[in-house]
Each structure stands twice: as C-alpha cells, then as structure tokens.
Amino acid sequence: MLLSACDLESGKMFDSAYDFRGLPKAESDPVVTENPQKHQKYEVTVTFKDAPGKFEIAKLVENYSARNCMITTNRMAGATALVHYQPEFALQKISDTVYRGEFYTDRPLNEDYYGQGVCQWQNFAISMSFRADSDAKSTYFSEDIDAEVLKKLSEKGATEKLVFYHQKKNYPIATWADSETGYVSLGFTPEHAQKWDIDLNDTFSVEIKIKRI
C-alpha cells in the first residue's frame, strides 16, 4: 500500500518543515530576532492607591503569538500549538506607589524561523505582575492590557486609563490559598466586585495609564 505525503485536510504536500504525519518538526518556541525598526511604542504608568504595603518587584511581559507557525508539544499524541514569544522587562520604581516603563507591540521580527514560511507575529496582551518581595509564597498581583485597549491608541499621544482592584487580604501572602509558589491575584473591575460580592472597602486599586509615544 502506497502512503502519500499529502495533507488530507488541507490538500498540501508536506515539506521539510513537517514530519511524515504532518506534524511540525519544531518542538520548542523559537529564539526570536528583535525587530530593528520597531515603531509601536507605549509608556505605561502604574499607581497603587490604598495598598496595604509596598511592592518591591514589578515585571512587564509582552505577549506575542504567530498564528501561522506551529510547534509539536506531544509527538505521540499528535498535539501541536502556536509559537509564542514573551519578552520580560522590569518596571522602574518611581516611588513606593508608582512604577513606570515602556513597551512595544512590534518587538519580534517576522522571519521564517521553522521553514514553515514567515511567522507573522501579533501582540495579544501586555501583562504586568507586582509582588511585595521575593518570598516564594508572595502573591502575584497581575494586570493585563489586552489588544482591544491597545487598538484605541493608534495615534501618537493617544492615552487610555484602566483601573483594577485587588483584595487587601491577599497582601503580601494569600495564606488562605496555601500556595507554595505564590497565589495569582487577577485585577478585577467594580462590576466584577459586585457580581462576586466583594466589598471595595476591603480592596486597593491599581491605576494604569497608557500613552502611545
């Protein structure tokens, strides 16, 4: 019986980027080349209000995926996934309550990293996390700036403000969570607080100002 080197689903012949079963040969995210002509640049300022203490660790992550490039995550199961690129940066501490930094949404260079064609990178979110200290059990207070917010900042000088809330009881360690690696507290809105029956008097706020520069 002859076995055809044809992808029955797409009708395309397999090339050197794929194995016999049509799985991508790549099994890890690529070492990405940075775009030398970045121009989608933003400044972000984070202000804590009514927080129960200081934050000594602050990190920012640019999240990218390339929807036309795949890696194999489990060859036996035939499982694949999109490739991701998540460069991480420290935010500068301005005061005990204010952090500031810059990020891009076009950092990775579109190149053929796997022989599957040029990977077309897209930023789908900016993530930030703050911790009281480096204790492994310290809570990660996390905020996300999604792509829909960034779309509003297409012109230089455009600004946007977001406000999220966290429960004070989770600072510096959410002891109720019994987590050895640090509980993750995701910022929520007043609408969520009402839905979840959380008293905003028991929270602190995180104000995020984003400016296209």
Side-chain angles (χ1 to χ4, degrees):
M1 179 176 178
L2 293 176
L3 297 176
S4 173
C6 178
D7 183 338
L8 297 179
E9 196 169 298
S10 67
K12 293 189 297 185
M13 299 299 293
F14 296 152
D15 59 26
S16 60
Y18 298 87
D19 70 8
F20 179 74
R21 290 169 293 180
L23 297 177
K25 290 183 178 179
E27 297 186 3
S28 63
D29 286 325
V31 176
V32 176
T33 302
E34 186 164 324
N35 181 2
Q37 298 181 349
K38 299 183 297 295
H39 65 276
Q40 296 173 13
K41 186 177 182 180
Y42 306 79
E43 179 185 78
V44 60
T45 303
V46 181
T47 304
F48 295 93
K49 295 184 178 180
D50 300 320
K54 300 177 183 179
F55 293 87
E56 298 299 335
I57 299 174
K59 294 181 180 179
L60 178 151
V61 178
E62 297 173 5
N63 298 292
Y64 300 89
S65 65
R67 293 188 176 276
N68 63 320
C69 292
M70 305 289 289
I71 58 174
T72 298
T73 56
N74 187 319
R75 194 158 292 277
M76 291 295 293
T80 60
L82 300 177
V83 295
H84 289 87
Y85 175 50
Q86 295 175 298
E88 182 179 288
F89 308 93
L91 291 171
Q92 181 183 0
K93 185 175 183 177
I94 306 301
S95 70
D96 287 342
T97 59
V98 179
Y99 279 86
R100 184 171 294 134
E102 295 177 349
F103 63 87
Y104 289 88
T105 54
D106 60 347
R107 187 176 298 275
L109 184 65
N110 293 338
E111 285 188 332
D112 186 350
Y113 292 96
Y114 290 129
Q116 300 174 22
V118 175
C119 293
Q120 301 292 334
W121 295 104
Q122 290 186 324
N123 180 278
F124 60 87
I126 301 297
S127 301
M128 291 177 285
S129 63
F130 303 87
R131 303 179 76 192
D133 50 47
S134 58
D135 188 322
K137 293 186 177 183
S138 290
T139 298
Y140 291 87
F141 294 93
S142 299
E143 325 295 344
D144 282 342
I145 304 170
D146 63 33
E148 291 303 312
V149 171
L150 296 172
K151 284 180 181 178
K152 300 176 184 178
L153 305 173
S154 59
E155 301 294 331
K156 287 189 176 181
T159 62
E160 188 74 14
K161 185 174 79 170
L162 307 172
V163 180
F164 297 103
Y165 293 83
H166 294 270
Q167 292 181 285
K168 292 180 179 179
K169 68 178 183 179
N170 295 329
Y171 180 96
I173 296 173
T175 53
W176 61 270
D178 193 27
S179 175
E180 294 296 321
T181 57
Y183 171 72
V184 178
S185 173
L186 300 176
F188 55 84
T189 64
E191 291 75 19
H192 287 125
Q194 184 176 16
K195 180 179 178 180
W196 300 333
D197 197 26
I198 296 174
D199 187 349
L200 287 181
N201 290 321
D202 298 327
T203 68
F204 65 91
S205 65
V206 182
E207 181 182 276
I208 300 174
K209 291 183 179 179
I210 313 135
K211 181 179 180 180
R212 180 71 181 267
I213 56 177

